[in-house]
């Protein structure tokens, strides 16, 4: 594949010189100028097609920088996760844990000591050798007092990281954890080298199958296959992430062939254009995003469970999914991702029943309903869901005032200061049911029993017992109607029809390039 | 003349100071903690506190303003909160896209607008005049992002002559860079061309009634000769005023156009920086824009003196 690219580039370069000469010759002859420009345009576009080992992917948001261990922006992981940086473990397309820089591991019977055996012969992209010392460095950097890791809580459980020999590492935990192996597979826990860690924001140096080549700020990031990679050979030689925030432009760029794929397509309303066109493949999967009507459980009238139950009875999820996300979404009845093996469907806990809802409101002391505010962050799913829910609630006498807020404002007012009645947001962290055990979390759900369940779940490592606890917890949240659970956000990607191997689901933020290939 | 220049320069400096104070304060009262925003909702309080300290957000307001302002005078716009790079270099990269885009759009607006205005004025009251002015009206009414989309659909999706957007950098290929600015600058220029055409027509129609045109006609020049030789230069004054005023709208237009054509320009930088609460970057970019706009105003002001000798003598009194 590589020679083709080189030939193409060479041809392109040649053509350019020729164009320049042509331009010079004709510049004085104004009559022929128009013809010259036309020919140049036609010729110069003709060589930009069909470079099969190179892929161009669209992304809506540009990452602020490229260090996944120092920021929460999903766009960082969408470029670097599993491509540039690797962790000890990694998350696969189905959300399972797979070996990565650690080829195997042993867990002590008390579940407090993990011994990891590291992959040998691995080098960072700048040529420095990877070893146990890099693992110790990376974990200590993330755990340190001046760490600005966005998921520092992941590392809180770690007592100590020890180097046993250059290719073996021991991690001692403060208490057992069923999520530890998953957590260290996340982008926030990737392994970096002490020599390059400080510059990773602008020049990321990892161990992954792709290395960073260039970043034209505001435009694109280019990665190329790492020829020294220890592991399976990748098929795509060069990948370019192009940043396109305007949905209409995204449609045009796909149609014109300027992009080969758009893993998180921003214009669900236009998908029909692509489903009906043989040149494209529309891939619909799930994400970790539970979209909920989050409720301030400490504020009246929402501190009364009957009010929350009434709201749950009053919403029509299918109407919301059709109107807010154009039918791409799965109804949920609790805070859990439908693709997860522990998932149970709780949508029918409080089925659509307006009479029941009115009765419950009357019992709670609001026979004529009440007024409340609904704060809506800028995501289109939130703004559209908000309008539909407002009209559905009006049926049972709840008048919602819709307040549009920006993300920074939402985080400040709603999330941090908890100054809100209701809000709509998608919770995108994987396996995040534990947030309900924190009474200070912005739902302000304060329940001793639920905390006990979560504590037990965190310390249980037996698969069957974990499943039972997770199912109990889902049911618990559904019954208590802590929030009104709406739908699981879908991942809708548009791809060229001759590409395969990309992830349909998004169990974690990232675009794994290593399995993508062109079908010949 | 010197007195005029001096008074304009003092006004220039005063405007810049007031603008920088306004930009700083307005952005400071925006709700939302930049440190919390960068680290997201899962971050621990401790991580957020460490980042706040690193970003210098814990200093009192006035201290932060004067730190920023004195650095600004020295040409230092600070370090971007989200990207960790000097704001001056981030902005400089983007100006290489936005500035040519605005200039191209301005040139296209003049090339299209001025002749249309002249033709319409020469044919005042005739059908061709009404037709051209109708076109101008449509040009003003069409939003330029929508016109941009139409251009993309025709020239990129259907004909495939241009790519749908993006930018080939100047170092990579000068021709490629110009080519990537063709559609955006046409889209950006359209409403401005329409405005220029209308102003040009009105100015010429006014000028046509002037005594010196009648004298020129009496001297034996035809109507169009008189207009071309004596009318157009006089009509340029209002055009210049409009171009000066339009420049700030042109800059505002680049924010939208750069998003439609995914060009890595200043507009897109500001757009992203605002949504990411990168206050240092937003401040820096805004102050650069304010500087550009008032500089253009200053130049226009001084150009008046050159074009119109009457203003010059008035300045000396």
């Amino acid at each position: 594949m590589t020679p083709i690219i080189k030939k193409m580039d060479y041809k392109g370069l040649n053509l350019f010189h020729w164009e320049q000469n042509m331009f010079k010759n004709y510049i004085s002859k104004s009559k022929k100028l128009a013809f010259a420009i036309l020919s140049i345009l036609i010729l110069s576009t003709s060589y930009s097609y069909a470079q099969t080992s190179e892929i161009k992917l669209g992304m809506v948001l540009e990452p602020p920088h490229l260090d996944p261990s120092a920021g929460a922006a999903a766009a960082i992981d969408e470029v670097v996760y599993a491509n540039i940086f690797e962790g000890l473990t990694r998350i696969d397309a189905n959300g399972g844990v797979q070996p990565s820089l650690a080829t195997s591991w042993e867990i002590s019977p008390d579940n407090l000591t993990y011994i990891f055996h590291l992959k040998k012969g691995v080098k960072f992209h700048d040529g420095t050798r990877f070893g146990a010392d890099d693992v110790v460095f990376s974990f200590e950097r993330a755990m340190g007092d001046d760490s600005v890791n966005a998921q520092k809580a992941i590392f809180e459980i770690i007592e100590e990281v020890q180097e046993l020999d250059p290719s073996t590492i021991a991690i001692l935990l403060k208490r057992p954890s069923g999520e530890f192996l998953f957590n260290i597979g996340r982008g926030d826990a990737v392994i970096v080298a002490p020599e390059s860690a400080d510059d990773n924001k602008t020049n990321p140096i990892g161990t992954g199958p792709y290395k960073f080549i260039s970043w034209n700020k505001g435009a694109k990031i280019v990665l190329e296959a790492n020829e020294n990679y220890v592991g399976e050979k990748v098929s795509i030689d060069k990948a370019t992430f192009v940043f396109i925030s305007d949905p209409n432009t995204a449609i045009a760029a796909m149609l014109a062939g300027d992009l080969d794929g758009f893993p998180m397509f921003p214009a669900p309303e236009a998908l029909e254009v692509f489903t009906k066109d043989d040149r494209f493949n529309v891939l619909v999967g799930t994400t970790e995003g539970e979209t909920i009507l989050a409720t301030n459980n400490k504020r009246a009238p929402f501190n009364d469970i009957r009010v929350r139950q009434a709201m749950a009875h009053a919403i029509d999820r299918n109407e919301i999914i059709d109107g807010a996300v154009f039918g791409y979404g799965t109804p949920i009845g609790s805070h859990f991702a439908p693709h997860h093996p522990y998932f149970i469907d709780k949508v029918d806990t409080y089925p659509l029943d307006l009479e029941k809802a009115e009765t419950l409101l009357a019992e709670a002391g609001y026979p004529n309903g009440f007024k409340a505010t609904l704060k809506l962050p800028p995501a289109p799913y939130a703004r559209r869901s908000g309008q539909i829910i407002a009209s559905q609630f009006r049926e049972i006498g709840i008048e919602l005032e819709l307040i549009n807020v920006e993300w920074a404002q939402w985080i400040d007012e709603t999330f941090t200061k908890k100054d809100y009645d209701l809000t709509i947001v998608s919770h995108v962290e994987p396996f995040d049911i534990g947030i309900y055990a924190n009474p200070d979390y912005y739902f302000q759900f304060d329940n001793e029993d639920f905390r006990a369940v979560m504590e037990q779940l965190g310390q249980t490592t037996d698969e069957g017992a974990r499943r039972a606890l997770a199912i109990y917890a889902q049911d618990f949240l559904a019954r208590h109607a802590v929030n009104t659970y709406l739908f699981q956000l879908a991942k809708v990607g548009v791809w060229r029809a001759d590409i395969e191997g990309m992830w349909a689901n998004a169990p974690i933020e990232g675009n794994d390039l290593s399995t993508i290939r062109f079908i010949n | 003349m010197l007195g005029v220049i001096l008074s304009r320069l003092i006004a220039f400096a005063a405007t810049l100071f007031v603008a920088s104070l306004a930009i700083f304060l307005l952005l400071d009262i925006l709700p939302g903690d930049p440190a919390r925003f960068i680290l997201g909702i899962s971050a621990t309080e401790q991580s957020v506190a460490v980042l706040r300290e690193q970003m210098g957000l814990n200093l009192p307001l006035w201290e932060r303003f004067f730190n920023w302002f004195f650095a600004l005078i020295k040409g230092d716009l600070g370090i971007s909160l989200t990207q960790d790079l000097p704001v001056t270099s981030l902005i400089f990269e983007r100006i290489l896209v936005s500035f040519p885009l605005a200039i191209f759009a301005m040139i296209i607006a003049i090339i299209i607008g001025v002749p249309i205005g002249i033709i319409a004025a020469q044919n005042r009251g005739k059908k061709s005049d009404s037709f051209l002015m109708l076109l101008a009206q449509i040009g003003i009414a069409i939003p330029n992002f929508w016109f941009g989309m139409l251009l993309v659909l025709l020239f990129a999706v259907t004909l495939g002559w241009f790519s749908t957007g993006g930018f080939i950098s100047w170092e990579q290929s000068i021709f490629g860079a110009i080519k990537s600015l063709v559609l955006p600058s046409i889209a950006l220029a359209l409403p401005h061309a329409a405005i220029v055409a209308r102003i040009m027509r009105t100015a010429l129609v006014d000028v046509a009634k002037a005594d010196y045109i009648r004298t020129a006609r009496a001297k034996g020049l035809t109507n169009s000769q008189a207009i071309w030789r004596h009318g157009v230069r006089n009509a340029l004054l209002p055009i210049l005023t409009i171009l000066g005023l339009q420049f700030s709208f042109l800059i505002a237009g680049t924010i939208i156009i750069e998003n439609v054509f995914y060009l890595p320009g200043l507009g897109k930088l500001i757009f992203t920086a605002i949504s990411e609460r990168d206050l240092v970057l937003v401040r820096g970019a805004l102050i650069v824009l304010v500087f550009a706009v008032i500089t253009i105003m200053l130049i226009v002001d001084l150009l008046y003196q050159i074009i119109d000798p009457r203003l010059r003598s008035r300045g000396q009194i």
Side-chain angles (χ1 to χ4, degrees), chain A residues 111-127:
Chain A
N111 290 311
L112 286 175
T113 307
Y114 287 66
I115 308 282
F116 293 97
H117 302 283
L118 306 179
K119 208 193 257 184
K120 291 189 178 113
V122 174
K123 280 183 179 163
F124 284 93
H125 299 151
D126 62 353

Side-chain angles (χ1 to χ4, degrees), chain A residues 12-246:
Chain A
L13 214 66
N14 233 355
L15 201 57
F16 171 60
H17 285 301
W18 178 76
E19 283 161 6
Q20 264 192 332
N21 291 334
M22 186 169 166
F23 205 80
K24 267 181 208 156
N25 293 340
Y26 280 120
I27 196 86
S28 55
K29 303 167 186 169
S30 62
K31 264 195 173 177
K32 290 178 182 169
L33 185 62
F35 168 74
I37 292 175
L38 204 67
S39 332
I40 289 165
L41 294 182
I42 293 167
L43 285 165
S44 60
T45 46
S46 60
Y47 68 86
S48 60
Y49 292 121
Q51 302 188 343
T52 46
S53 56
E54 178 183 351
I55 196 168
K56 285 192 178 134
L57 301 180
M59 274 173 69
V60 173
L61 293 177
E62 178 172 14
H65 59 78
L66 294 174
D67 185 352
S69 63
I76 302 173
D77 281 329
E78 285 168 15
V79 173
V80 305
Y81 184 74
N83 297 327
I84 295 178
F85 290 109
E86 297 175 303
L88 289 180
T89 62
R90 57 162 299 172
I91 312 305
D92 66 17
N94 303 312
V97 176
Q98 298 294 337
S100 184
L101 282 173
T103 48
S104 62
W105 50 84
E106 291 125 35
I107 306 169
S108 66
D110 62 359
N111 290 311
L112 286 175
T113 307
Y114 287 66
I115 308 282
F116 293 97
H117 302 283
L118 306 179
K119 208 193 257 184
K120 291 189 178 113
V122 174
K123 280 183 179 163
F124 284 93
H125 299 151
D126 62 353
T128 49
R129 290 176 62 84
F130 159 79
D133 49 338
D134 297 306
V135 180
V136 175
F137 169 78
S138 300
F139 277 83
E140 283 178 353
R141 176 171 174 260
M143 291 152 65
D145 285 340
D146 55 353
S147 154
V148 290
N149 195 295
Q151 303 286 348
K152 206 176 167 190
I154 292 178
F155 307 95
E156 182 271 331
I157 197 170
I158 297 174
E159 177 70 46
E160 204 190 340
V161 183
Q162 293 172 348
E163 175 182 344
L164 299 183
D165 66 55
S167 61
T168 316
I169 201 99
I171 298 183
L172 295 100
L173 301 186
K174 292 174 185 162
R175 52 182 186 276
S177 164
E179 285 117 49
F180 181 65
L181 286 173
F182 182 92
N183 281 341
I184 58 169
R186 297 175 60 169
D188 308 271
V190 295
I191 305 303
V192 297
E195 293 87 352
S196 50
D198 289 342
D199 295 329
N200 276 345
K201 283 185 171 177
T202 47
N203 183 25
I205 301 287
T207 55
Y210 287 89
K211 56 187 180 187
F212 171 78
I213 298 295
S214 67
W215 183 0
N216 289 26
K217 286 283 169 68
K220 62 185 179 183
I221 291 175
V222 180
L223 310 183
E224 268 176 25
N226 169 15
E227 63 278 10
N228 299 321
Y229 186 64
V230 182
E232 224 162 292
K233 182 112 181 59
V234 296
S235 166
I236 301 292
D237 293 326
K238 182 180 173 189
T240 308
F241 292 95
V242 184
F243 311 115
I244 300 182
S245 50
D246 187 279

Side-chain angles (χ1 to χ4, degrees), chain A residues 353-373:
Chain A
D353 187 342
L354 297 182
E355 271 175 42
K356 189 86 181 282
E358 281 172 342
T359 318
L360 281 163
L361 275 187
E363 280 172 19
Y366 301 96
N368 301 317
F370 57 84
K371 283 188 176 154
T373 58

